[in-house]
Amino acid sequence: MLRTFTRILATAVIAVSGHMALADGHTTGTWTLNADSSKLAFGSVKKDTVGEVHSFEQISGTVGADGTTVVEIDLTSVQTNIDIRNERFGEHVFKGATTAILNTMIDMNEMAAMAVGDSEVIDVEAVLSFLGADVEIEAELFVARLSETSVMVTTNDMIFVETEDLGISAGVDKLMELAKLPGITRTTPVTLRLIFNMDEQKVEAAPAAPAPIAVALAGDADAGKKVFKKCKACHSIKDGKHGVGPSLYKVVGTAAGAIEDYKYSTKMAQSGLVWDAETLSAFLAKPRSVVKGTKMAFAGLKKADDIENVIAYIAAKSE
Ligand code: HEC
């Protein structure tokens, strides 16, 4: 019976994982089984009339970013509500084994379209390693997306498992003998409820915005005003005011291509440059050789003085 449960659980986990992984249409990292709100139970009927419910108290599971799913069922946590019976299960049905492990790969595409509040019935397959054998498992499960970060999987209808299929009939015979029972049903109903929570994403710390660098400016801002006339057709120094080119407000000391509401060329946006006196001087002397493919249609300033002065002017006007 335990084996049965294990199988079912495994299946459920698999199903869940698949769904969860693609909730937003893309891989969403890793998931962990919420043991407290999950439940794997099975029933038994002895002497034809006495029905009882049992469960495993400890199950754990994870789904990796690549879809690898591993679920572990602690066989020693079987709870039949009678201590001696728990021990007999461990000894005669599980034969001393302490864990059953379920492995599967999740089809990351299956659940891509599942929105919060959606549910569906899915067929799942997995392999359960139990008592040295690999058992293939198939089941029909009901999957519901509870929230952006949680998914619930339950049995879709009652699942019956035969002890013979699980290879534990001899163990059940032994239980009957020990408890002096005339009979224990060999078909076991199993139910499960699994809740998976999305792990907190280990977001790589965004690179800190480069601190504005101190730029030593040798130029003469007043003289630069005149040079800036060559830039005016396309640039303003007013904050947020863009023309053909972006506003040059506070451009000195910041990263190239950093203004959000201006559409730079890809080359400029990805240049990785920081505009200090050196990079700006080189750029203004020969824009297209410093940022190949820039859409700044400007040949460049020939005189080093003009360059120093216009940079000083832009910096001064940005204060
Ligand atoms: C014909 C229009 C035009 C002229 C003239 C022009 N620019 Fe530009 N400038 C642009 C465009 C367009 C961009 C955006 C380039 C890109 O995205 O590849 C730009 C980008 C820049 C940048 C980078 C801004 C940023 O946010 O990274 C600086 C600095 C700059 N120009 C300075 C100047 C200076 C100084 C002059 C005058 C000496 C000048 N430009 C002349 C059109 C012009």
Side-chain angles (χ1 to χ4, degrees), residues 227-228 230-231 234-235 244-248 251 255-259 262-265 268 275 280 283-284 293-298 301 310 314:
V227 183
F228 192 73
K230 295 185 176 170
C231 320
C234 304
H235 290 288
V244 172
S247 161
L248 295 180
V251 75
I259 296 172
Y262 177 80
K263 189 146 175 48
Y264 293 94
S265 63
M268 180 64 79
W275 294 130
L280 265 180
F283 178 70
L284 294 179
T294 178
K295 62 175 185 173
M296 170 154 140
F298 182 70
L301 295 169
V310 80
I314 293 168

PDB file of all heavy atoms in Angstrom, residues 227-228 230-231 234-235 244-248 251 255-259 262-265 268 275 280 283-284 293-298 301 310 314, ligand 1:
ATOM      1  N   VAL A 227      30.850  76.807 -29.488  1.00  0.00           N
ATOM      2  CA  VAL A 227      31.050  75.501 -30.136  1.00  0.00           C
ATOM      3  C   VAL A 227      29.734  74.718 -30.143  1.00  0.00           C
ATOM      4  O   VAL A 227      29.408  74.012 -31.096  1.00  0.00           O
ATOM      5  CB  VAL A 227      32.145  74.686 -29.412  1.00  0.00           C
ATOM      6  CG1 VAL A 227      32.408  73.372 -30.138  1.00  0.00           C
ATOM      7  CG2 VAL A 227      33.423  75.498 -29.293  1.00  0.00           C
ATOM      8  N   PHE A 228      28.984  74.898 -29.066  1.00  0.00           N
ATOM      9  CA  PHE A 228      27.748  74.114 -28.922  1.00  0.00           C
ATOM     10  C   PHE A 228      26.732  74.418 -30.026  1.00  0.00           C
ATOM     11  O   PHE A 228      25.821  73.630 -30.276  1.00  0.00           O
ATOM     12  CB  PHE A 228      27.117  74.344 -27.536  1.00  0.00           C
ATOM     13  CG  PHE A 228      26.013  73.355 -27.228  1.00  0.00           C
ATOM     14  CD1 PHE A 228      26.319  72.019 -26.924  1.00  0.00           C
ATOM     15  CD2 PHE A 228      24.673  73.724 -27.263  1.00  0.00           C
ATOM     16  CE1 PHE A 228      25.315  71.089 -26.671  1.00  0.00           C
ATOM     17  CE2 PHE A 228      23.666  72.795 -27.000  1.00  0.00           C
ATOM     18  CZ  PHE A 228      23.988  71.470 -26.700  1.00  0.00           C
ATOM     19  N   LYS A 230      27.138  74.028 -32.951  1.00  0.00           N
ATOM     20  CA  LYS A 230      27.221  72.926 -33.913  1.00  0.00           C
ATOM     21  C   LYS A 230      26.414  71.699 -33.463  1.00  0.00           C
ATOM     22  O   LYS A 230      26.167  70.793 -34.246  1.00  0.00           O
ATOM     23  CB  LYS A 230      28.698  72.504 -34.097  1.00  0.00           C
ATOM     24  CG  LYS A 230      29.537  73.586 -34.709  1.00  0.00           C
ATOM     25  CD  LYS A 230      30.933  73.095 -34.977  1.00  0.00           C
ATOM     26  CE  LYS A 230      31.720  74.195 -35.688  1.00  0.00           C
ATOM     27  NZ  LYS A 230      33.155  73.893 -35.766  1.00  0.00           N
ATOM     28  N   CYS A 231      26.059  71.708 -32.215  1.00  0.00           N
ATOM     29  CA  CYS A 231      25.332  70.560 -31.656  1.00  0.00           C
ATOM     30  C   CYS A 231      23.836  70.850 -31.571  1.00  0.00           C
ATOM     31  O   CYS A 231      23.011  69.925 -31.558  1.00  0.00           O
ATOM     32  CB  CYS A 231      25.839  70.246 -30.251  1.00  0.00           C
ATOM     33  SG  CYS A 231      27.636  70.403 -30.040  1.00  0.00           S
ATOM     34  N   CYS A 234      20.583  69.307 -33.077  1.00  0.00           N
ATOM     35  CA  CYS A 234      20.109  67.986 -32.642  1.00  0.00           C
ATOM     36  C   CYS A 234      19.986  67.838 -31.125  1.00  0.00           C
ATOM     37  O   CYS A 234      19.296  66.940 -30.648  1.00  0.00           O
ATOM     38  CB  CYS A 234      21.054  66.905 -33.147  1.00  0.00           C
ATOM     39  SG  CYS A 234      21.285  66.937 -34.931  1.00  0.00           S
ATOM     40  N   HIS A 235      20.688  68.666 -30.355  1.00  0.00           N
ATOM     41  CA  HIS A 235      20.727  68.485 -28.898  1.00  0.00           C
ATOM     42  C   HIS A 235      20.285  69.702 -28.102  1.00  0.00           C
ATOM     43  O   HIS A 235      20.581  70.834 -28.468  1.00  0.00           O
ATOM     44  CB  HIS A 235      22.172  68.189 -28.446  1.00  0.00           C
ATOM     45  CG  HIS A 235      22.693  66.861 -28.859  1.00  0.00           C
ATOM     46  ND1 HIS A 235      22.280  65.670 -28.308  1.00  0.00           N
ATOM     47  CD2 HIS A 235      23.639  66.524 -29.781  1.00  0.00           C
ATOM     48  CE1 HIS A 235      22.951  64.668 -28.862  1.00  0.00           C
ATOM     49  NE2 HIS A 235      23.771  65.164 -29.771  1.00  0.00           N
ATOM     50  N   VAL A 244      16.670  65.373 -32.370  1.00  0.00           N
ATOM     51  CA  VAL A 244      17.148  64.230 -33.143  1.00  0.00           C
ATOM     52  C   VAL A 244      18.073  63.425 -32.225  1.00  0.00           C
ATOM     53  O   VAL A 244      18.061  62.193 -32.223  1.00  0.00           O
ATOM     54  CB  VAL A 244      17.928  64.724 -34.390  1.00  0.00           C
ATOM     55  CG1 VAL A 244      18.585  63.551 -35.095  1.00  0.00           C
ATOM     56  CG2 VAL A 244      16.996  65.460 -35.340  1.00  0.00           C
ATOM     57  N   GLY A 245      18.831  64.122 -31.424  1.00  0.00           N
ATOM     58  CA  GLY A 245      19.706  63.469 -30.448  1.00  0.00           C
ATOM     59  C   GLY A 245      19.123  63.634 -29.051  1.00  0.00           C
ATOM     60  O   GLY A 245      18.210  64.439 -28.831  1.00  0.00           O
ATOM     61  N   PRO A 246      19.622  62.876 -28.094  1.00  0.00           N
ATOM     62  CA  PRO A 246      19.106  62.939 -26.716  1.00  0.00           C
ATOM     63  C   PRO A 246      19.527  64.225 -26.002  1.00  0.00           C
ATOM     64  O   PRO A 246      20.493  64.861 -26.396  1.00  0.00           O
ATOM     65  CB  PRO A 246      19.759  61.720 -26.058  1.00  0.00           C
ATOM     66  CG  PRO A 246      21.050  61.566 -26.791  1.00  0.00           C
ATOM     67  CD  PRO A 246      20.735  61.910 -28.223  1.00  0.00           C
ATOM     68  N   SER A 247      18.774  64.579 -24.965  1.00  0.00           N
ATOM     69  CA  SER A 247      19.156  65.720 -24.133  1.00  0.00           C
ATOM     70  C   SER A 247      20.551  65.424 -23.578  1.00  0.00           C
ATOM     71  O   SER A 247      20.863  64.279 -23.219  1.00  0.00           O
ATOM     72  CB  SER A 247      18.166  65.859 -22.963  1.00  0.00           C
ATOM     73  OG  SER A 247      18.759  66.644 -21.940  1.00  0.00           O
ATOM     74  N   LEU A 248      21.387  66.457 -23.483  1.00  0.00           N
ATOM     75  CA  LEU A 248      22.747  66.242 -22.962  1.00  0.00           C
ATOM     76  C   LEU A 248      22.853  66.679 -21.501  1.00  0.00           C
ATOM     77  O   LEU A 248      23.951  66.790 -20.944  1.00  0.00           O
ATOM     78  CB  LEU A 248      23.769  66.997 -23.825  1.00  0.00           C
ATOM     79  CG  LEU A 248      23.876  66.487 -25.281  1.00  0.00           C
ATOM     80  CD1 LEU A 248      24.919  67.299 -26.056  1.00  0.00           C
ATOM     81  CD2 LEU A 248      24.215  64.997 -25.327  1.00  0.00           C
ATOM     82  N   VAL A 251      25.062  64.721 -18.980  1.00  0.00           N
ATOM     83  CA  VAL A 251      25.637  63.592 -19.712  1.00  0.00           C
ATOM     84  C   VAL A 251      27.078  63.325 -19.263  1.00  0.00           C
ATOM     85  O   VAL A 251      27.536  62.178 -19.282  1.00  0.00           O
ATOM     86  CB  VAL A 251      25.571  63.824 -21.240  1.00  0.00           C
ATOM     87  CG1 VAL A 251      26.621  64.850 -21.694  1.00  0.00           C
ATOM     88  CG2 VAL A 251      25.754  62.514 -21.984  1.00  0.00           C
ATOM     89  N   ALA A 255      26.651  56.969 -17.812  1.00  0.00           N
ATOM     90  CA  ALA A 255      26.844  55.915 -18.800  1.00  0.00           C
ATOM     91  C   ALA A 255      26.259  56.348 -20.141  1.00  0.00           C
ATOM     92  O   ALA A 255      25.249  57.060 -20.183  1.00  0.00           O
ATOM     93  CB  ALA A 255      26.169  54.637 -18.333  1.00  0.00           C
ATOM     94  N   ALA A 256      26.860  55.928 -21.221  1.00  0.00           N
ATOM     95  CA  ALA A 256      26.343  56.220 -22.557  1.00  0.00           C
ATOM     96  C   ALA A 256      25.015  55.487 -22.765  1.00  0.00           C
ATOM     97  O   ALA A 256      24.814  54.399 -22.227  1.00  0.00           O
ATOM     98  CB  ALA A 256      27.345  55.769 -23.611  1.00  0.00           C
ATOM     99  N   GLY A 257      24.107  56.119 -23.496  1.00  0.00           N
ATOM    100  CA  GLY A 257      22.840  55.451 -23.828  1.00  0.00           C
ATOM    101  C   GLY A 257      21.943  55.205 -22.648  1.00  0.00           C
ATOM    102  O   GLY A 257      21.171  54.248 -22.630  1.00  0.00           O
ATOM    103  N   ALA A 258      22.010  56.085 -21.630  1.00  0.00           N
ATOM    104  CA  ALA A 258      21.292  55.810 -20.380  1.00  0.00           C
ATOM    105  C   ALA A 258      19.916  56.451 -20.239  1.00  0.00           C
ATOM    106  O   ALA A 258      19.188  56.145 -19.302  1.00  0.00           O
ATOM    107  CB  ALA A 258      22.163  56.236 -19.195  1.00  0.00           C
ATOM    108  N   ILE A 259      19.535  57.308 -21.150  1.00  0.00           N
ATOM    109  CA  ILE A 259      18.231  57.972 -21.000  1.00  0.00           C
ATOM    110  C   ILE A 259      17.118  57.034 -21.463  1.00  0.00           C
ATOM    111  O   ILE A 259      17.124  56.544 -22.592  1.00  0.00           O
ATOM    112  CB  ILE A 259      18.194  59.290 -21.797  1.00  0.00           C
ATOM    113  CG1 ILE A 259      19.224  60.259 -21.219  1.00  0.00           C
ATOM    114  CG2 ILE A 259      16.803  59.915 -21.767  1.00  0.00           C
ATOM    115  CD1 ILE A 259      19.411  61.513 -22.039  1.00  0.00           C
ATOM    116  N   TYR A 262      14.589  57.964 -24.566  1.00  0.00           N
ATOM    117  CA  TYR A 262      15.181  58.300 -25.863  1.00  0.00           C
ATOM    118  C   TYR A 262      15.611  57.004 -26.545  1.00  0.00           C
ATOM    119  O   TYR A 262      16.168  56.111 -25.898  1.00  0.00           O
ATOM    120  CB  TYR A 262      16.412  59.207 -25.710  1.00  0.00           C
ATOM    121  CG  TYR A 262      17.066  59.485 -27.045  1.00  0.00           C
ATOM    122  CD1 TYR A 262      16.533  60.447 -27.900  1.00  0.00           C
ATOM    123  CD2 TYR A 262      18.156  58.737 -27.484  1.00  0.00           C
ATOM    124  CE1 TYR A 262      17.086  60.661 -29.164  1.00  0.00           C
ATOM    125  CE2 TYR A 262      18.715  58.947 -28.737  1.00  0.00           C
ATOM    126  CZ  TYR A 262      18.174  59.912 -29.566  1.00  0.00           C
ATOM    127  OH  TYR A 262      18.718  60.117 -30.814  1.00  0.00           O
ATOM    128  N   LYS A 263      15.299  56.898 -27.822  1.00  0.00           N
ATOM    129  CA  LYS A 263      15.634  55.652 -28.512  1.00  0.00           C
ATOM    130  C   LYS A 263      17.011  55.726 -29.177  1.00  0.00           C
ATOM    131  O   LYS A 263      17.170  56.274 -30.251  1.00  0.00           O
ATOM    132  CB  LYS A 263      14.557  55.337 -29.562  1.00  0.00           C
ATOM    133  CG  LYS A 263      14.709  53.963 -30.181  1.00  0.00           C
ATOM    134  CD  LYS A 263      13.354  53.347 -30.497  1.00  0.00           C
ATOM    135  CE  LYS A 263      13.518  52.008 -31.237  1.00  0.00           C
ATOM    136  NZ  LYS A 263      14.489  51.128 -30.578  1.00  0.00           N
ATOM    137  N   TYR A 264      17.997  55.162 -28.492  1.00  0.00           N
ATOM    138  CA  TYR A 264      19.366  55.142 -29.008  1.00  0.00           C
ATOM    139  C   TYR A 264      19.511  54.052 -30.069  1.00  0.00           C
ATOM    140  O   TYR A 264      18.700  53.138 -30.157  1.00  0.00           O
ATOM    141  CB  TYR A 264      20.353  54.807 -27.877  1.00  0.00           C
ATOM    142  CG  TYR A 264      20.464  55.850 -26.807  1.00  0.00           C
ATOM    143  CD1 TYR A 264      19.701  55.773 -25.654  1.00  0.00           C
ATOM    144  CD2 TYR A 264      21.367  56.905 -26.937  1.00  0.00           C
ATOM    145  CE1 TYR A 264      19.809  56.719 -24.660  1.00  0.00           C
ATOM    146  CE2 TYR A 264      21.488  57.862 -25.941  1.00  0.00           C
ATOM    147  CZ  TYR A 264      20.702  57.769 -24.796  1.00  0.00           C
ATOM    148  OH  TYR A 264      20.820  58.700 -23.817  1.00  0.00           O
ATOM    149  N   SER A 265      20.600  54.130 -30.801  1.00  0.00           N
ATOM    150  CA  SER A 265      20.949  53.021 -31.690  1.00  0.00           C
ATOM    151  C   SER A 265      21.410  51.893 -30.763  1.00  0.00           C
ATOM    152  O   SER A 265      21.828  52.144 -29.630  1.00  0.00           O
ATOM    153  CB  SER A 265      22.116  53.434 -32.597  1.00  0.00           C
ATOM    154  OG  SER A 265      23.273  53.696 -31.824  1.00  0.00           O
ATOM    155  N   MET A 268      24.979  52.369 -29.576  1.00  0.00           N
ATOM    156  CA  MET A 268      25.204  53.309 -28.478  1.00  0.00           C
ATOM    157  C   MET A 268      24.718  52.688 -27.169  1.00  0.00           C
ATOM    158  O   MET A 268      25.413  52.725 -26.160  1.00  0.00           O
ATOM    159  CB  MET A 268      24.468  54.636 -28.750  1.00  0.00           C
ATOM    160  CG  MET A 268      24.645  55.670 -27.658  1.00  0.00           C
ATOM    161  SD  MET A 268      26.368  56.226 -27.470  1.00  0.00           S
ATOM    162  CE  MET A 268      26.497  57.401 -28.831  1.00  0.00           C
ATOM    163  N   TRP A 275      30.700  58.354 -20.040  1.00  0.00           N
ATOM    164  CA  TRP A 275      31.152  59.633 -20.603  1.00  0.00           C
ATOM    165  C   TRP A 275      31.981  60.449 -19.613  1.00  0.00           C
ATOM    166  O   TRP A 275      31.447  61.206 -18.828  1.00  0.00           O
ATOM    167  CB  TRP A 275      29.962  60.474 -21.084  1.00  0.00           C
ATOM    168  CG  TRP A 275      29.207  59.899 -22.246  1.00  0.00           C
ATOM    169  CD1 TRP A 275      27.861  59.722 -22.334  1.00  0.00           C
ATOM    170  CD2 TRP A 275      29.733  59.478 -23.509  1.00  0.00           C
ATOM    171  NE1 TRP A 275      27.505  59.191 -23.546  1.00  0.00           N
ATOM    172  CE2 TRP A 275      28.655  59.033 -24.290  1.00  0.00           C
ATOM    173  CE3 TRP A 275      31.025  59.410 -24.054  1.00  0.00           C
ATOM    174  CZ2 TRP A 275      28.805  58.538 -25.583  1.00  0.00           C
ATOM    175  CZ3 TRP A 275      31.185  58.906 -25.340  1.00  0.00           C
ATOM    176  CH2 TRP A 275      30.081  58.491 -26.084  1.00  0.00           C
ATOM    177  N   LEU A 280      34.508  61.227 -23.869  1.00  0.00           N
ATOM    178  CA  LEU A 280      33.760  62.261 -24.594  1.00  0.00           C
ATOM    179  C   LEU A 280      34.652  62.943 -25.637  1.00  0.00           C
ATOM    180  O   LEU A 280      34.213  63.193 -26.768  1.00  0.00           O
ATOM    181  CB  LEU A 280      33.236  63.322 -23.622  1.00  0.00           C
ATOM    182  CG  LEU A 280      31.797  63.149 -23.108  1.00  0.00           C
ATOM    183  CD1 LEU A 280      31.465  64.281 -22.158  1.00  0.00           C
ATOM    184  CD2 LEU A 280      30.795  63.077 -24.257  1.00  0.00           C
ATOM    185  N   PHE A 283      35.051  60.669 -28.552  1.00  0.00           N
ATOM    186  CA  PHE A 283      33.779  60.550 -29.281  1.00  0.00           C
ATOM    187  C   PHE A 283      33.501  61.814 -30.112  1.00  0.00           C
ATOM    188  O   PHE A 283      33.132  61.722 -31.286  1.00  0.00           O
ATOM    189  CB  PHE A 283      32.643  60.303 -28.294  1.00  0.00           C
ATOM    190  CG  PHE A 283      31.269  60.207 -28.932  1.00  0.00           C
ATOM    191  CD1 PHE A 283      30.924  59.108 -29.731  1.00  0.00           C
ATOM    192  CD2 PHE A 283      30.316  61.199 -28.726  1.00  0.00           C
ATOM    193  CE1 PHE A 283      29.659  59.009 -30.313  1.00  0.00           C
ATOM    194  CE2 PHE A 283      29.046  61.107 -29.300  1.00  0.00           C
ATOM    195  CZ  PHE A 283      28.717  60.009 -30.095  1.00  0.00           C
ATOM    196  N   LEU A 284      33.699  62.976 -29.476  1.00  0.00           N
ATOM    197  CA  LEU A 284      33.383  64.214 -30.196  1.00  0.00           C
ATOM    198  C   LEU A 284      34.381  64.499 -31.321  1.00  0.00           C
ATOM    199  O   LEU A 284      34.064  65.191 -32.277  1.00  0.00           O
ATOM    200  CB  LEU A 284      33.315  65.392 -29.218  1.00  0.00           C
ATOM    201  CG  LEU A 284      32.148  65.282 -28.227  1.00  0.00           C
ATOM    202  CD1 LEU A 284      32.145  66.472 -27.277  1.00  0.00           C
ATOM    203  CD2 LEU A 284      30.808  65.166 -28.956  1.00  0.00           C
ATOM    204  N   GLY A 293      28.663  52.633 -35.844  1.00  0.00           N
ATOM    205  CA  GLY A 293      27.239  52.392 -36.054  1.00  0.00           C
ATOM    206  C   GLY A 293      26.362  53.364 -35.299  1.00  0.00           C
ATOM    207  O   GLY A 293      25.141  53.214 -35.282  1.00  0.00           O
ATOM    208  N   THR A 294      26.939  54.383 -34.649  1.00  0.00           N
ATOM    209  CA  THR A 294      26.110  55.374 -33.959  1.00  0.00           C
ATOM    210  C   THR A 294      25.261  56.115 -34.983  1.00  0.00           C
ATOM    211  O   THR A 294      25.659  56.267 -36.150  1.00  0.00           O
ATOM    212  CB  THR A 294      26.964  56.391 -33.180  1.00  0.00           C
ATOM    213  OG1 THR A 294      26.078  57.356 -32.581  1.00  0.00           O
ATOM    214  CG2 THR A 294      27.913  57.158 -34.106  1.00  0.00           C
ATOM    215  N   LYS A 295      24.092  56.547 -34.537  1.00  0.00           N
ATOM    216  CA  LYS A 295      23.251  57.293 -35.486  1.00  0.00           C
ATOM    217  C   LYS A 295      23.466  58.799 -35.334  1.00  0.00           C
ATOM    218  O   LYS A 295      22.709  59.600 -35.874  1.00  0.00           O
ATOM    219  CB  LYS A 295      21.784  56.902 -35.316  1.00  0.00           C
ATOM    220  CG  LYS A 295      21.185  57.200 -33.964  1.00  0.00           C
ATOM    221  CD  LYS A 295      19.685  56.874 -33.998  1.00  0.00           C
ATOM    222  CE  LYS A 295      19.020  57.275 -32.693  1.00  0.00           C
ATOM    223  NZ  LYS A 295      17.564  57.129 -32.722  1.00  0.00           N
ATOM    224  N   MET A 296      24.489  59.205 -34.590  1.00  0.00           N
ATOM    225  CA  MET A 296      24.808  60.632 -34.513  1.00  0.00           C
ATOM    226  C   MET A 296      25.536  61.020 -35.800  1.00  0.00           C
ATOM    227  O   MET A 296      26.692  60.651 -36.016  1.00  0.00           O
ATOM    228  CB  MET A 296      25.692  60.921 -33.289  1.00  0.00           C
ATOM    229  CG  MET A 296      26.263  62.332 -33.284  1.00  0.00           C
ATOM    230  SD  MET A 296      26.607  62.890 -31.609  1.00  0.00           S
ATOM    231  CE  MET A 296      28.146  63.747 -31.833  1.00  0.00           C
ATOM    232  N   ALA A 297      24.784  61.729 -36.655  1.00  0.00           N
ATOM    233  CA  ALA A 297      25.342  62.094 -37.973  1.00  0.00           C
ATOM    234  C   ALA A 297      26.150  63.386 -37.857  1.00  0.00           C
ATOM    235  O   ALA A 297      25.692  64.472 -38.198  1.00  0.00           O
ATOM    236  CB  ALA A 297      24.203  62.256 -38.986  1.00  0.00           C
ATOM    237  N   PHE A 298      27.302  63.253 -37.299  1.00  0.00           N
ATOM    238  CA  PHE A 298      28.153  64.417 -37.057  1.00  0.00           C
ATOM    239  C   PHE A 298      29.600  63.997 -37.296  1.00  0.00           C
ATOM    240  O   PHE A 298      30.049  62.983 -36.755  1.00  0.00           O
ATOM    241  CB  PHE A 298      27.951  64.910 -35.619  1.00  0.00           C
ATOM    242  CG  PHE A 298      28.739  66.126 -35.258  1.00  0.00           C
ATOM    243  CD1 PHE A 298      28.424  67.380 -35.810  1.00  0.00           C
ATOM    244  CD2 PHE A 298      29.809  66.056 -34.370  1.00  0.00           C
ATOM    245  CE1 PHE A 298      29.148  68.522 -35.467  1.00  0.00           C
ATOM    246  CE2 PHE A 298      30.531  67.194 -34.022  1.00  0.00           C
ATOM    247  CZ  PHE A 298      30.204  68.431 -34.573  1.00  0.00           C
ATOM    248  N   LEU A 301      34.551  67.183 -34.107  1.00  0.00           N
ATOM    249  CA  LEU A 301      35.200  68.488 -33.921  1.00  0.00           C
ATOM    250  C   LEU A 301      36.694  68.291 -34.124  1.00  0.00           C
ATOM    251  O   LEU A 301      37.287  67.366 -33.560  1.00  0.00           O
ATOM    252  CB  LEU A 301      34.931  69.003 -32.500  1.00  0.00           C
ATOM    253  CG  LEU A 301      33.468  69.315 -32.163  1.00  0.00           C
ATOM    254  CD1 LEU A 301      33.318  69.561 -30.668  1.00  0.00           C
ATOM    255  CD2 LEU A 301      32.983  70.529 -32.967  1.00  0.00           C
ATOM    256  N   VAL A 310      33.541  72.649 -25.208  1.00  0.00           N
ATOM    257  CA  VAL A 310      32.121  72.287 -25.324  1.00  0.00           C
ATOM    258  C   VAL A 310      31.725  71.331 -24.192  1.00  0.00           C
ATOM    259  O   VAL A 310      30.616  71.380 -23.668  1.00  0.00           O
ATOM    260  CB  VAL A 310      31.779  71.723 -26.737  1.00  0.00           C
ATOM    261  CG1 VAL A 310      32.192  70.261 -26.863  1.00  0.00           C
ATOM    262  CG2 VAL A 310      30.291  71.891 -27.024  1.00  0.00           C
ATOM    263  N   ILE A 314      28.707  72.023 -21.532  1.00  0.00           N
ATOM    264  CA  ILE A 314      27.611  71.078 -21.250  1.00  0.00           C
ATOM    265  C   ILE A 314      27.545  70.788 -19.746  1.00  0.00           C
ATOM    266  O   ILE A 314      26.473  70.770 -19.141  1.00  0.00           O
ATOM    267  CB  ILE A 314      27.799  69.759 -22.050  1.00  0.00           C
ATOM    268  CG1 ILE A 314      27.634  70.040 -23.556  1.00  0.00           C
ATOM    269  CG2 ILE A 314      26.800  68.696 -21.598  1.00  0.00           C
ATOM    270  CD1 ILE A 314      28.073  68.884 -24.450  1.00  0.00           C
TER     271      ILE A 314
HETATM  272  C1  HEC B   1      22.877  65.687 -36.703  1.00  0.00           C
HETATM  273  C2  HEC B   1      22.502  65.574 -35.330  1.00  0.00           C
HETATM  274  C3  HEC B   1      23.550  65.636 -34.278  1.00  0.00           C
HETATM  275  C4  HEC B   1      24.540  66.561 -34.095  1.00  0.00           C
HETATM  276  C5  HEC B   1      24.852  67.764 -34.980  1.00  0.00           C
HETATM  277  C6  HEC B   1      25.213  66.214 -32.894  1.00  0.00           C
HETATM  278  N1  HEC B   1      24.680  65.087 -32.346  1.00  0.00           N
HETATM  279 FE1  HEC B   1      25.209  64.145 -30.662  1.00  0.00          FE
HETATM  280  N2  HEC B   1      23.868  62.719 -30.977  1.00  0.00           N
HETATM  281  C7  HEC B   1      22.990  62.685 -32.039  1.00  0.00           C
HETATM  282  C8  HEC B   1      22.250  61.435 -31.995  1.00  0.00           C
HETATM  283  C9  HEC B   1      21.177  60.995 -32.978  1.00  0.00           C
HETATM  284  C10 HEC B   1      22.726  60.749 -30.879  1.00  0.00           C
HETATM  285  C11 HEC B   1      22.326  59.369 -30.456  1.00  0.00           C
HETATM  286  C12 HEC B   1      23.353  58.424 -31.030  1.00  0.00           C
HETATM  287  C13 HEC B   1      23.031  56.951 -30.989  1.00  0.00           C
HETATM  288  O1  HEC B   1      22.037  56.568 -30.348  1.00  0.00           O
HETATM  289  O2  HEC B   1      23.774  56.206 -31.611  1.00  0.00           O
HETATM  290  C14 HEC B   1      23.739  61.591 -30.271  1.00  0.00           C
HETATM  291  C15 HEC B   1      24.444  61.224 -29.120  1.00  0.00           C
HETATM  292  C16 HEC B   1      25.301  62.072 -28.463  1.00  0.00           C
HETATM  293  C17 HEC B   1      25.931  61.781 -27.217  1.00  0.00           C
HETATM  294  C18 HEC B   1      25.707  60.553 -26.350  1.00  0.00           C
HETATM  295  C19 HEC B   1      24.524  60.833 -25.444  1.00  0.00           C
HETATM  296  C20 HEC B   1      24.166  59.741 -24.481  1.00  0.00           C
HETATM  297  O3  HEC B   1      23.134  59.900 -23.810  1.00  0.00           O
HETATM  298  O4  HEC B   1      24.875  58.738 -24.400  1.00  0.00           O
HETATM  299  C21 HEC B   1      26.690  62.839 -26.903  1.00  0.00           C
HETATM  300  C22 HEC B   1      27.540  63.028 -25.652  1.00  0.00           C
HETATM  301  C23 HEC B   1      26.562  63.772 -27.969  1.00  0.00           C
HETATM  302  N3  HEC B   1      25.723  63.271 -28.908  1.00  0.00           N
HETATM  303  C24 HEC B   1      27.201  64.987 -27.991  1.00  0.00           C
HETATM  304  C25 HEC B   1      27.155  65.859 -29.083  1.00  0.00           C
HETATM  305  C26 HEC B   1      27.865  67.101 -29.147  1.00  0.00           C
HETATM  306  C27 HEC B   1      28.695  67.716 -28.012  1.00  0.00           C
HETATM  307  C28 HEC B   1      27.626  67.615 -30.365  1.00  0.00           C
HETATM  308  C29 HEC B   1      28.175  68.890 -30.935  1.00  0.00           C
HETATM  309  C30 HEC B   1      29.588  69.035 -30.918  1.00  0.00           C
HETATM  310  C31 HEC B   1      26.742  66.719 -31.061  1.00  0.00           C
HETATM  311  N4  HEC B   1      26.486  65.646 -30.264  1.00  0.00           N
HETATM  312  C32 HEC B   1      26.249  66.868 -32.319  1.00  0.00           C
HETATM  313  C33 HEC B   1      22.836  63.614 -33.003  1.00  0.00           C
HETATM  314  C34 HEC B   1      23.654  64.700 -33.179  1.00  0.00           C
END
